[in-house]
Amino acid sequence: MSDRTPCLNPRCGRTFKAEDGVDTVVCGKCWKLLPQSWRARDKQLRKRWRLVDRIAAKGDGFRQRGRKFGAPGKGMPQSYTMRVKLERIWHSHWSRIKAFYLTPDKPAGLETFLEEIGL
């Protein structure tokens, strides 16, 4: 295993110290290339992860969804249901970020022109 993790942008070339469980890193300069709305969404989702972690730290008996009065233990804990939904949203968010960097830009040149006219 390599001791360095490359930036997600293949045209960047920066590397970072490898950490346990971290396989995707975006450097600061490449991060600023993303649209502002995507960076704001990332900040919002990270804030929600912290909320889910705080709720999970309180235990499984805290705020169960679908619980009926007088029947303890019915329903899933709120932290579990929030985590499942947030993982799905997080995955789609990072898939969009990866696609932003990994799809190469077509150069505006002779090859592009020939493709457009069908040759």
Side-chain angles (χ1 to χ4, degrees):
M1 184 173 174
S2 176
D3 59 340
R4 305 295 290 175
T5 304
C7 178
L8 182 62
N9 187 354
R11 296 173 290 283
C12 177
R14 290 184 183 85
T15 59
F16 302 90
K17 181 180 176 183
E19 296 179 14
D20 291 337
V22 178
D23 60 346
T24 305
V25 179
V26 180
C27 69
K29 286 185 178 182
C30 295
W31 184 252
K32 290 181 181 179
L33 294 175
L34 286 171
Q36 174 61 32
S37 60
W38 292 12
R39 290 184 281 154
R41 179 66 171 163
D42 190 80
K43 185 176 181 180
Q44 181 186 48
L45 291 176
R46 289 178 190 273
K47 187 176 180 181
R48 287 185 187 175
W49 274 117
R50 287 192 300 271
L51 172 68
V52 169
D53 289 341
R54 282 196 311 268
I55 291 174
K58 292 181 180 182
D60 288 341
F62 182 73
R63 295 182 71 176
Q64 293 182 344
R65 295 194 174 221
R67 185 177 61 179
K68 305 226 182 230
F69 292 108
K74 299 256 183 176
M76 299 301 293
Q78 183 183 18
S79 62
Y80 175 77
T81 57
M82 288 177 71
R83 185 176 303 275
V84 168
K85 292 177 183 180
L86 192 55
E87 284 175 355
R88 181 182 48 82
I89 294 169
W90 183 260
H91 178 70
S92 66
H93 170 69
W94 270 98
S95 296
R96 186 169 60 168
I97 290 175
K98 288 178 185 178
F100 179 82
Y101 289 118
L102 298 181
T103 53
D105 298 333
K106 283 207 165 203
L110 182 61
E111 294 172 1
T112 308
F113 174 72
L114 293 175
E115 266 186 35
E116 287 175 1
I117 61 171
L119 292 176

